[in-house]
Amino acid sequence: MRILLVEDVADVAEAIVACTQRMGHDTDWEPNGKCAADRVTADFYDLLILDIMLPDLDGLSLLRRVRDRKISTPVLMLTALGEIEERVQALDMGANDYLVKPFDFRELEARIRALLRQAIGRPTNVLACANLTIDLKSHTAQLDGNALDLTRREVMLLEILVTRPGRIFSKNELIDRLFSIDENPNANTVEQHVARLRKKLTGAHFSIRTLRGLGYQVIAS
């Protein structure tokens, strides 16, 4: 999953990014609220983590812009201790949850898992597709109950495709969701990952279909 963190305190942001990356998520960090508003588009991020106190555009104003654009991406607000009015206002404006600073990172992880489960309509950490199951907490997958030997990025790719079966993901979208800018990936990189994943999914009761010029989608076999 891909997360956008908007937090202007560097050491706090670095700690959150490290935490979410340990969870298996790719996380982009933006310290400026106005710049973050330009980055948020529908379906690109799976979760937004917004601090309230931000330069140029505060977290509540950023949240309002996101919801005014009809973007339904789950939002976790980071609020200051004792600021009850801010928390109430954030929830009324469309935030899905909030976390009070300072917080325990175990709670942060649990709230992230809960919000991502809600986003895909799952009551548990297990994502199922035909005879495949993916544990969203451990980022492991099983086919007919047998563990699959997948790399972290292959699990991420599988999660993206299986979460929305039938939806077509372009190569450029998969590049954005799977890789950082520093990795300098290209369309061929995505093709290689899909090809390796297909081989490991031999026996699956679904397939990863290629639509020439469009991208990839998961369909029932």
Side-chain angles (χ1 to χ4, degrees):
M1 301 292 184
R2 195 170 192 94
I3 297 172
L4 175 63
L5 168 65
V6 190
E7 166 62 68
D8 64 324
V9 180
D11 57 347
V12 173
E14 290 168 1
I16 294 174
V17 169
C19 173
T20 54
Q21 288 180 340
R22 285 195 303 271
M23 295 175 70
H25 305 302
D26 276 351
T27 304
D28 296 331
W29 169 37
E30 176 56 65
N32 182 283
K34 189 173 184 298
C35 293
D38 296 333
R39 298 179 64 164
V40 180
T41 58
D43 292 332
F44 183 75
Y45 290 104
D46 300 290
L47 175 66
L48 307 178
I49 302 177
L50 311 180
D51 188 25
I52 287 185
M53 299 301 293
L54 295 168
D56 293 338
L57 187 71
D58 65 81
L60 291 175
S61 298
L62 175 55
L63 172 63
R64 182 182 294 109
R65 289 194 186 187
V66 169
R67 294 306 186 227
D68 285 348
R69 295 175 188 169
K70 308 301 181 185
I71 297 173
S72 59
T73 303
V75 175
L76 173 64
M77 302 296 298
L78 303 180
T79 70
L81 181 64
E83 298 296 335
I84 296 176
E85 289 301 321
E86 285 185 347
R87 300 201 292 272
V88 171
Q89 188 178 1
L91 292 171
D92 285 342
M93 289 172 57
N96 299 83
D97 199 358
Y98 66 84
L99 194 57
V100 177
K101 295 180 178 180
F103 50 80
D104 189 303
F105 279 89
R106 293 171 298 178
E107 183 178 6
L108 173 64
E109 292 179 13
R111 290 180 183 270
I112 289 174
R113 287 194 296 269
L115 288 173
L116 292 176
R117 289 198 304 268
Q118 293 173 23
I120 61 177
R122 302 285 172 176
T124 70
N125 288 316
V126 177
L127 176 63
C129 178
N131 57 336
L132 171 80
T133 57
I134 303 173
D135 188 319
L136 299 175
K137 181 178 179 180
S138 63
H139 296 284
T140 56
Q142 294 184 343
L143 195 63
D144 287 324
N146 299 311
L148 292 173
D149 183 16
L150 302 178
T151 66
R152 173 178 171 272
R153 188 150 284 146
E154 287 168 348
V155 174
M156 289 174 61
L157 175 58
L158 196 54
E159 287 178 3
I160 292 168
L161 296 173
V162 168
T163 297
R164 300 176 179 85
R167 184 188 185 285
I168 300 171
F169 291 87
S170 70
K171 291 179 182 178
N172 285 338
E173 183 176 2
L174 291 175
I175 286 173
D176 289 337
R177 294 169 72 95
L178 289 169
F179 303 93
S180 67
I181 296 174
D182 295 336
E183 291 176 291
N184 194 30
N186 54 41
N188 187 54
T189 308
V190 174
E191 291 172 7
Q192 291 173 355
H193 277 80
V194 171
R196 287 196 291 267
L197 187 57
R198 280 176 173 149
K199 290 181 180 179
K200 295 181 180 182
L201 290 173
T202 300
H205 297 165
F206 65 90
S207 60
I208 301 175
R209 178 186 179 194
T210 300
L211 291 88
R212 190 173 299 277
L214 296 176
Y216 302 98
Q217 68 177 165
V218 162
I219 58 171
S221 299

